[in-house]
Amino acid sequence: ENRFTDLDTCFDSPEQQSAAECLRDTASMRQEDSTSEANGKARASFDCEQPKSSLQLTICADAGLGQKDIELSEAYDHASEALTQHERGDLAESQKEWVEYVENLCPMGATGGIPPLLTRSCIRTAFATRTAQLQDCIAEREPKRSQCLNDFRLFVEQ
């Protein structure tokens, strides 16, 4: 299943590298992830020993999704630092609504084992899109900033 995920990721990757290079990189990254887990490196921005939702279970089951979750958490923290106290409340509410959006958009299915490829791909795309959105929206002024943060999409328009 992990190999299918690697294949899917490499052939959908916008990066300009060959599929063979991408597959070597993902195999190396998977090995690094297992080593870092053994060394106590975080698998996600939350405790994977006690996931609280199907989305968290799915993230914890895939090291790549865990990394996307950490990246999103860092973008959220950076965005929060740039906002006023009132705006932080709006950001928190927006993030909560975005999580609900992802849970409804991506087919979570049954829990346990390795989550389906479609689910992981959907979550990976949603997290990458939200990370970019947080980075872009912070540069906006109110009221455009709030509109930007609450404009949930699966893909970033180019």
Side-chain angles (χ1 to χ4, degrees), residues 40-126:
K41 184 179 173 187
R43 290 172 38 200
S45 67
F46 52 88
D47 183 6
C48 279
E49 298 302 317
Q50 298 178 351
K52 295 181 172 113
S53 67
S54 295
L55 178 59
Q56 287 186 354
L57 280 168
T58 303
I59 291 168
C60 292
D62 184 307
L65 289 179
Q67 185 58 44
K68 291 290 182 194
D69 176 66
I70 290 169
E71 291 169 11
L72 176 58
S73 179
E74 290 170 356
Y76 178 89
D77 290 344
H78 178 70
S80 183
E81 290 170 4
L83 300 175
T84 66
Q85 186 67 31
H86 173 70
E87 291 173 322
R88 285 185 192 128
D90 292 344
L91 175 64
E93 185 62 31
S94 172
Q95 192 71 359
K96 179 181 171 187
E97 290 173 10
W98 177 82
V99 168
E100 291 174 11
Y101 169 78
V102 172
E103 289 175 335
N104 291 323
L105 179 70
C106 299
M108 292 300 155
T111 57
I114 297 176
L117 180 62
L118 177 62
T119 300
R120 290 178 286 153
S121 179
C122 179
I123 293 169
R124 185 176 292 106
T125 301

